Amino acid sequence: MASGPTTGTSTTGGPDLVETPGGAQPGPKPAGVVEREFTVAVRSQRQMILRRFLNHRLAVASLIIFIALLMGSLIGGRLWHYGFADRTGDYSQPPSLKHPMGTDDIGHDVMALVFRGAQKSVQIALLVALLSTTIGTLVGAVAGFYRGRADALLMRFVDLVLTVPSLAILAVLASVVGSKAGGWFFVAIVLAGITWAPISRVVRGVFLSLREKEYVEAARALGANDRRIIFRHLLPNALGAIIVNATIVVAVAILTETALSYLGVGVQRPDTSLGLLISDGQGAAQTRPWLFYFPGLVIILIALTVNFIGDGLRDAFDPTQTRVRA
Amino acid sequence: MSRPLTSATADAHGGTAAPAAATAVGHEAGGDAVLRVTDLTVDFPTDDGVVHAVRGVSYALSPREVLGIVGESGSGKSVTSLAIIGLLPKTARITGSVRFRGEELIGLPDKDMRKVRGEQIAMIFQDPMTSLNPVYPIGWQIAEGIRAHHRDVSRAAARSRAVDLLALVGIPHPKERAANYPHEFSGGMRQRVVIALAMANDPDVIIADEPTTALDVTVQAQILETLQKAQQETSAAIVLITHDLGVVAGVADRVLVMYAGKPVELGSVDDVYYRPRMPYSIGLLGSLPRLDAVDQDRLTPIAGAPPSLINLPPGCPFSPRCPLRQGVCDDEEPALRQTDGQAHYAACHFSHTLESEDGVPEGLFSATSADFSGPIAIMPPTGAVAPTEGPQS
Amino acid sequence: MTATAEQPASTAIGTEPVLSVRDLVKHFPITSRGVIRRKIGDIHAVCGVSFDLYPRETLGLVGESGCGKSTTGRTVLQLQPATSGSVVFQGQELTDKSSKQMRSVRRDLQIVFQDPYASLNPRMTVNDIVAEPLRIHGLHDKHSGDKMRELFRLVGLNPEHGNRYPHEFSGGQRQRIGIARALALEPKALILDEPVSALDVSIQAGVVNLLEELQDRLGLAYLFIAHDLSVVRHIADRVAVMYLGKIVELADRPELFDRPAHPYTQALMSAIPIPDPVKERERRRIVIRGDVPSPASPPSGCRFRTRCPKFANQLSEGERERCVEEEPALIERGQGHPAACHYAAVEKVL
């Protein structure tokens, strides 16, 4: 009675297939014993993640805005007929057709400054995310996989990093070395120095739970070595959590860079960043609001959109998240 | 479990040839049914389409009767009960009627439903922690359960009744144990506490959803015994939902077999177990390895897997796995009709061909080990299987 | 091997066991919470388990949750180091092998896990999952494709579906994938850790049949770990019943089911519901009270005495003393097969 030659291939297939609401199982259905109500169908992992992400309207809108901002600052900066260092000869002009965001008191076009600032800020944030995710994943993976002494040692160090008033220390550090080493690159490294710690904790937690999975035990029973288990079994399954946290770091990095620049120890002139622009513009918030509000708006937009993207990614990678949006 | 207390009261008039006729068992039962479910359907809209979790369930529960509902994963047996007591999420679309002593429960406002729940219909879940609050002592919780429905009962009286109930369900040293918290009990003891909680307000119906599935067999035996005691004490009718045909055989008066969201067979335990008239029930009984079988040959599995509950094709949902399948099975869904027995119903176009058989027909299913059905359109929602799992899908 | 002398009742007398376990002990430390973790006790998960597994036979290892049956399986495989005792597989002592040395052993001794949803990596295709053992052991080459197809057919799956992911398959099919993975290295013995208990009944039967068929075709030895005596009765040649870390009774299948001698075995059998209404109604049930005691502090003497119906109802005060003070050995006391009860007596339950 095996369903003959029609073997299944036809029943599966593309994304038109189905799955069921985790939410349709109300409380009373505890962790799985034999019983499983509902049936679900097939879709590749990637399709499911993408689909869940696309279902998150806010995240999708945020992604679009974020990409627009990014492209705008990269391309716009080049196309715009003022450079960020150009002096236009118009001083402290309010927004006009010629200067859509106005000019500052020494004649810089604010739009050009914002383009440049956003570009720098995002550049820093992405580099920070890359660095801190790499370090954090490495530390967390080693701690979570090997446990015991390595774990205790690494995690105490992480605690230390988390407990010191990092911003103050960074400010000191940046003011001592920062101006010499100069440039956004150094700021990024400094920021990565504090943002990796929470990531390592998350990754450790994920690794701790994943290493107890039966498929890891199965791999061990087959004779797999540690490297294989980490790279074939643990990392791919931890990827969701890692990506989500990377997006959070992006938002944190942008805000922290702003704070550093505001304190005057971030990006150094003549280059600029959104934080620097705000710190310059704060005194003028009452008299020449455009100097303050335009860069501020862009910061808020970036931080918000990145956070929402992170939200969407978290939902997309988490199969227990609501699938019903009725 | 006081059997057979009342003869099965359900009746059917589903014998018409109307395609995919709604099952209509239970309409004509006498006025004494304590719970009457008629054409209950539950749909869940999902982003992939509508899941038809329950597709027309009807039954009438007589007072003091034990009705076993059996079925595999996805058969809709649990959803049916959750719909009855109004515990489905708001996204669920429910139609049909559930009458408790004549009072319609579907569409009842939350406030009134809460009164019914616990006081008249009590629920016991697979995981006792569903019903227990981890931060209160169990004695307090039972007493509160009583006082929630009977404000006039004094605290002291409620507390002493709680201790009595705990003693009744076999908790040793009930007086002392009443002050303990749920985590201080073992799984089996917790389930006893839940049974005490269910008995607290002397309900007319107790719905037990896989009450012993998470427990070891020796503990299961204790819990089933306790459940029977609870029934004697409260004279409640019990709906026992389980996947274990053995459990039902021991404690139920009548059995309802569900498949793909619909009842496919209903009858007294003896009818269903000794004279099954629906190929799925036959297959289910034949696929069990049995403790009492001396030298069983190969088991006879039912090939394939249950269908997806989204976009069900027309016709009998069991037909792809059915050895009796013919053309009509793919066109028309059979209604639940009376077979040879007085109160024995089966949903199969060919149940009459099985009627001559006394005992479970043999040789209907083959003793295969193969499963060539390929990746199929079913799997449980991973979230439900292991809610705590990480980014796995 | 060496110690077969104490190994009783065997269907395959005369052949060498493929796996010999002697006095296997596995304790898990309980540590205090806090910064400095001190060991404050032990979970006695497995306490001196001995058995032999012969070629082509199925030994059922039965018990309730927490009795140490799964830990036994994992410790035999050296997935967890044994606290003491010996595990001899094909003449080699496994307990003192390093994980590198174990690798060659693993080709011949494999495991199938209980939960087909957890035991397959969700991010790997089924092909990759089944090929993983070949890759690990450096056996993956251009002929592997044929081998994979053969494996898929062997376990009753369509080879064309190899590039799918595990979640696209039903529970029964996933368990078949797990079996294919275990068979890829052509082992001599399989440890089956509750291979069907997570499956729906109608699907369970197909997997049980498959396991029986594979044993016939490939001459495998199975250590079949289960809590369900019905399945064990169907598939096992010999059965060992475990309670709280110890084997309490060990016998050939017909012997055990017809003439159970240990009160726990009798209670266990009588507690399992039979899908037969008349039989169920007429059955006498030995309901045992209470729960399994904590394996952190097992009772003195006989571990079952705290729940034992015989201890509670039939024994005299003097007889009970022996249960409390002296641990019963797993030996024959005239009932035809070994049972760990001072007062073992055959009683027909079914």
Side-chain angles (χ1 to χ4, degrees):
Chain A
M1 224 200 61
S3 55
T6 56
T7 37
T9 27
S10 55
T11 59
T12 54
D16 56 327
L17 287 160
V18 286
E19 76 195 340
T20 15
Q25 300 257 15
K29 202 99 266 218
V33 191
V34 191
E35 178 56 11
R36 287 175 192 118
E37 291 286 328
F38 292 120
T39 52
V40 180
V42 180
R43 221 191 278 136
S44 87
Q45 193 101 19
R46 227 165 279 157
Q47 280 172 315
M48 288 198 298
I49 291 171
L50 187 67
R51 178 141 175 175
R52 281 199 291 259
F53 183 79
L54 291 180
N55 266 340
H56 201 294
R57 300 257 158 72
L58 205 53
V60 175
S62 294
L63 186 65
I64 293 168
I65 295 174
F66 182 71
I67 288 174
L69 270 173
L70 201 64
M71 299 315 283
S73 62
L74 284 177
I75 300 168
R78 290 196 186 189
L79 296 184
W80 187 237
H81 44 267
Y82 299 111
F84 70 96
D86 292 352
R87 308 209 164 178
T88 59
D90 299 324
Y91 303 105
S92 298
Q93 294 285 314
S96 65
L97 273 183
K98 196 175 166 203
H99 305 287
M101 295 185 186
T103 60
D104 68 4
D105 51 359
I106 43 175
H108 291 130
D109 178 73
V110 176
M111 183 124 132
L113 287 174
V114 168
F115 278 146
R116 176 66 176 188
Q119 187 190 329
K120 275 288 116 149
S121 289
V122 172
Q123 221 167 13
I124 291 171
L126 292 182
L127 185 65
V128 170
L130 185 75
L131 287 175
S132 71
T133 306
T134 310
I135 301 169
T137 303
L138 207 72
V139 172
V142 169
F145 184 78
Y146 290 102
R147 299 189 297 188
R149 195 149 294 175
D151 178 29
L153 223 67
L154 286 172
M155 283 305 115
R156 292 305 78 75
F157 181 60
V158 168
D159 288 345
L160 198 73
V161 173
L162 286 171
T163 44
V164 295
S166 44
L167 194 63
I169 293 209
L170 286 184
V172 173
L173 202 72
S175 67
V176 174
V177 214
S179 43
K180 273 182 268 164
W184 62 276
F185 190 73
F186 181 75
V187 176
I189 289 178
V190 166
L191 285 177
I194 45 166
T195 46
W196 66 270
I199 292 193
S200 71
R201 278 194 160 181
V202 171
V203 174
R204 169 179 176 269
V206 174
F207 264 57
L208 275 179
S209 84
L210 285 178
R211 78 191 297 285
E212 304 299 329
K213 292 268 181 235
E214 270 192 356
Y215 58 80
V216 174
E217 204 169 17
R220 248 184 247 288
L222 293 169
N225 55 23
D226 291 354
R227 205 189 52 191
R228 186 173 183 89
I229 288 172
I230 292 176
F231 286 100
R232 291 288 291 168
H233 295 283
L234 298 178
L235 259 187
N237 284 292
L239 208 60
I242 293 172
I243 289 178
V244 169
N245 277 279
T247 63
I248 294 172
V249 167
V250 170
V252 168
I254 285 181
L255 294 176
T256 316
E257 183 277 325
T258 307
L260 281 181
S261 298
Y262 185 84
L263 294 173
V265 289
V267 172
Q268 300 297 317
R269 285 185 191 77
D271 208 340
T272 192
S273 75
L274 291 174
L276 206 56
L277 287 176
I278 290 208
S279 98
D280 286 349
Q282 56 152 343
Q286 298 294 324
T287 51
R288 288 162 294 162
W290 58 89
L291 289 185
F292 178 73
Y293 284 108
F294 284 112
L297 193 70
V298 174
I299 285 182
I300 290 172
L301 264 182
I302 293 176
L304 267 184
T305 51
V306 171
N307 264 322
F308 285 134
I309 294 169
D311 262 10
L313 284 175
R314 191 192 56 220
D315 288 4
F317 278 105
D318 181 357
T320 63
Q321 283 294 317
T322 50
R323 290 171 196 159
V324 194
R325 287 174 199 282
Chain B
M1 203 161 263
S2 42
R3 127 209 1 251
L5 279 162
T6 1
S7 60
T9 48
D11 200 359
H13 60 127
T16 53
T23 51
V25 176
H27 289 260
E28 291 153 27
D32 61 337
V34 54
L35 185 72
R36 186 186 303 277
V37 179
T38 317
D39 285 333
L40 185 72
T41 71
V42 180
D43 291 344
F44 293 103
T46 70
D47 50 358
D48 304 288
V50 177
V51 176
H52 304 283
V54 179
R55 305 184 302 119
V57 172
S58 303
Y59 63 80
L61 189 67
S62 310
R64 304 177 65 98
E65 176 190 30
V66 180
L67 174 70
I69 300 187
V70 294
E72 295 179 282
S73 318
S75 61
K77 55 189 193 298
S78 294
V79 181
T80 304
S81 316
L82 292 174
I84 290 170
I85 55 166
L87 283 182
L88 284 176
K90 292 227 174 345
T91 53
R93 289 201 295 257
I94 306 167
T95 68
S97 148
V98 174
R99 284 177 180 275
F100 173 81
R101 293 201 179 286
E103 185 196 0
E104 179 63 53
L105 299 186
I106 300 289
L108 213 60
D110 253 10
K111 195 169 93 284
D112 302 326
M113 200 62 216
R114 263 200 297 276
K115 248 184 100 57
V116 174
R117 256 195 322 257
E119 193 173 339
Q120 282 138 0
I121 303 180
M123 185 92 194
I124 298 168
F125 293 107
Q126 177 180 329
D127 178 3
M129 288 314 285
T130 314
S131 317
L132 297 175
N133 187 331
V135 302
Y136 292 110
I138 55 144
W140 187 91
Q141 293 188 46
I142 297 173
E144 269 315 288
I146 296 168
R147 278 170 48 77
H149 295 284
H150 304 280
R151 271 290 147 202
D152 50 322
V153 177
S154 75
R155 266 173 218 286
R159 208 168 308 133
S160 86
R161 165 111 170 105
V163 172
D164 291 348
L165 284 168
L166 288 175
L168 197 81
V169 295
I171 304 269
H173 315 296
K175 212 165 182 155
E176 292 75 39
R177 295 293 266 165
N180 288 22
Y181 292 84
H183 72 264
E184 296 173 272
F185 291 84
S186 68
M189 284 294 157
R190 264 181 230 157
Q191 200 60 296
R192 285 168 194 265
V193 172
V194 172
I195 293 175
L197 196 60
M199 293 167 66
N201 289 301
D202 216 355
D204 292 332
V205 176
I206 297 176
I207 300 179
D209 187 356
E210 304 266 9
T212 59
T213 303
L215 305 172
D216 280 321
V217 272
T218 55
V219 180
Q220 165 172 292
Q222 301 168 15
I223 295 299
L224 290 175
E225 204 181 54
T226 309
L227 202 59
Q228 289 179 321
K229 213 172 186 181
Q231 195 212 18
Q232 281 157 17
E233 202 65 27
T234 59
S235 314
I238 294 187
V239 178
L240 179 68
I241 301 162
T242 176
H243 68 278
D244 189 333
L245 288 159
V247 169
V248 172
V251 298
D253 303 312
R254 282 196 303 151
V255 192
L256 179 74
V257 182
M258 284 190 70
Y259 187 77
K262 262 196 154 166
V264 292
E265 186 154 5
L266 171 67
S268 70
V269 264
D270 291 30
D271 272 345
V272 174
Y273 280 73
Y274 298 130
R275 295 171 288 280
R277 295 292 178 252
M278 158 73 196
Y280 175 66
S281 321
I282 296 167
L284 212 52
L285 286 164
S287 64
L288 287 177
R290 292 179 56 150
L291 190 65
D292 54 339
V294 176
D295 263 312
Q296 218 170 354
D297 287 342
R298 289 277 198 265
L299 302 168
T300 51
I302 307 175
S308 158
L309 294 174
I310 304 181
N311 305 324
L312 265 179
C316 175
F318 187 63
S319 73
R321 307 173 73 186
C322 183
L324 294 182
R325 170 190 190 176
Q326 292 190 23
V328 60
C329 300
D330 293 334
D331 302 332
E332 189 184 308
E333 184 159 5
L336 198 60
R337 301 173 244 245
Q338 193 161 7
T339 66
D340 45 356
Q342 250 301 305
H344 187 185
Y345 308 89
C348 175
H349 291 300
F350 299 99
S351 55
H352 58 274
T353 63
L354 301 164
E355 275 177 23
S356 52
E357 308 249 10
D358 199 28
V360 180
E362 288 185 16
L364 202 56
F365 291 86
S366 60
T368 176
S369 70
D371 183 358
F372 288 109
S373 48
I376 32 134
I378 65 139
M379 65 162 281
T382 24
V385 177
T388 50
E389 272 184 2
Q392 167 213 346
S393 110
Chain C
M1 311 307 78
T2 46
T4 31
E6 34 180 304
Q7 175 61 33
S10 147
T11 47
I13 291 165
T15 41
E16 294 276 283
V18 56
L19 175 72
S20 262
V21 175
R22 286 294 170 276
D23 299 319
L24 189 69
V25 175
K26 176 67 190 172
H27 291 177
F28 294 102
I30 312 170
T31 50
S32 62
R33 313 206 70 156
V35 183
I36 303 160
R37 305 229 162 140
R38 275 174 311 113
K39 196 177 130 180
I40 53 174
D42 275 314
I43 301 272
H44 301 248
V46 179
C47 308
V49 162
S50 305
F51 60 83
D52 285 332
L53 179 66
Y54 291 87
R56 294 180 165 271
E57 86 158 343
T58 301
L59 174 66
L61 196 57
V62 191
E64 296 179 282
S65 53
C67 73
K69 55 189 191 301
S70 287
T71 307
T72 304
R74 282 165 165 74
T75 312
V76 165
L77 263 176
Q78 306 299 310
L79 290 176
Q80 294 156 345
T83 306
S84 67
S86 118
V87 176
V88 176
F89 179 72
Q90 293 186 322
Q92 304 177 61
E93 176 61 53
L94 302 189
T95 49
D96 49 18
K97 278 197 187 311
S98 72
S99 60
K100 252 209 184 93
Q101 291 169 321
M102 269 305 288
R103 193 166 297 172
S104 62
V105 177
R106 296 194 190 286
R107 290 183 60 167
D108 289 332
L109 181 61
Q110 269 305 314
I111 180 166
V112 174
F113 291 93
Q114 168 179 7
D115 185 348
Y117 295 91
S119 60
L120 306 178
N121 186 341
R123 310 256 158 168
M124 283 165 81
T125 64
V126 169
N127 265 337
D128 283 342
I129 288 171
V130 178
E132 186 170 31
L134 301 176
R135 290 212 172 89
I136 289 170
H137 291 270
L139 302 170
H140 197 76
D141 55 30
K142 57 183 189 298
H143 304 298
S144 297
D146 294 337
K147 165 129 188 141
M148 301 281 290
R149 272 187 287 282
E150 191 193 315
L151 272 170
F152 273 83
R153 271 193 286 270
L154 193 65
V155 299
L157 288 172
N158 188 333
E160 287 164 31
H161 300 137
N163 53 359
R164 310 254 179 166
Y165 286 86
H167 73 267
E168 299 179 47
F169 294 84
S170 69
Q173 291 170 325
R174 297 185 82 176
Q175 199 54 293
R176 288 163 193 267
I177 296 165
I179 293 169
R181 171 174 64 188
L183 292 179
L185 296 169
E186 297 167 26
K188 304 280 185 303
L190 276 188
I191 293 175
L192 303 165
D193 188 3
E194 306 242 16
V196 296
S197 57
L199 306 177
D200 265 329
V201 265
S202 72
I203 287 158
Q204 187 176 317
V207 176
V208 169
N209 285 351
L210 173 70
L211 289 171
E212 289 182 310
E213 234 170 76
L214 289 172
Q215 184 168 44
D216 292 349
R217 266 158 82 171
L218 308 174
L220 296 164
Y222 289 155
L223 179 62
F224 191 97
I225 299 168
H227 69 269
D228 184 349
L229 267 177
S230 320
V231 177
V232 168
R233 168 152 213 180
H234 182 82
I235 200 170
D237 301 307
R238 287 188 303 136
V239 184
V241 181
M242 277 187 83
Y243 183 79
L244 213 55
K246 288 187 174 289
I247 294 181
V248 297
E249 188 158 9
L250 179 64
D252 287 350
R253 171 182 53 178
E255 174 83 6
L256 186 92
F257 285 92
D258 288 342
R259 301 163 43 80
H262 195 282
Y264 176 65
T265 313
Q266 292 159 0
L268 194 63
M269 272 186 208
S270 88
I272 293 173
I274 297 174
D276 187 324
V278 171
K279 276 194 188 167
E280 266 306 282
R281 267 170 241 160
E282 287 165 356
R283 264 174 104 188
R284 193 178 58 87
R285 197 146 264 163
I286 309 168
V287 175
I288 53 177
R289 297 288 146 205
D291 296 292
V292 184
S294 159
S297 52
S300 68
C302 172
R303 297 186 166 201
F304 184 56
R305 70 179 161 82
T306 53
R307 301 172 77 201
C308 181
K310 189 170 238 168
F311 181 85
N313 306 324
Q314 293 171 25
L315 298 186
S316 70
E317 202 55 48
E319 286 172 320
R320 282 185 197 167
E321 210 161 282
R322 190 163 175 217
C323 298
V324 177
E325 277 160 16
E326 190 191 328
E327 186 168 342
L330 181 63
I331 48 167
E332 214 204 301
R333 293 179 178 83
Q335 67 277 16
H337 62 266
C341 174
H342 295 305
Y343 308 102
V346 170
E347 191 175 336
K348 195 142 175 70
V349 180
L350 293 170

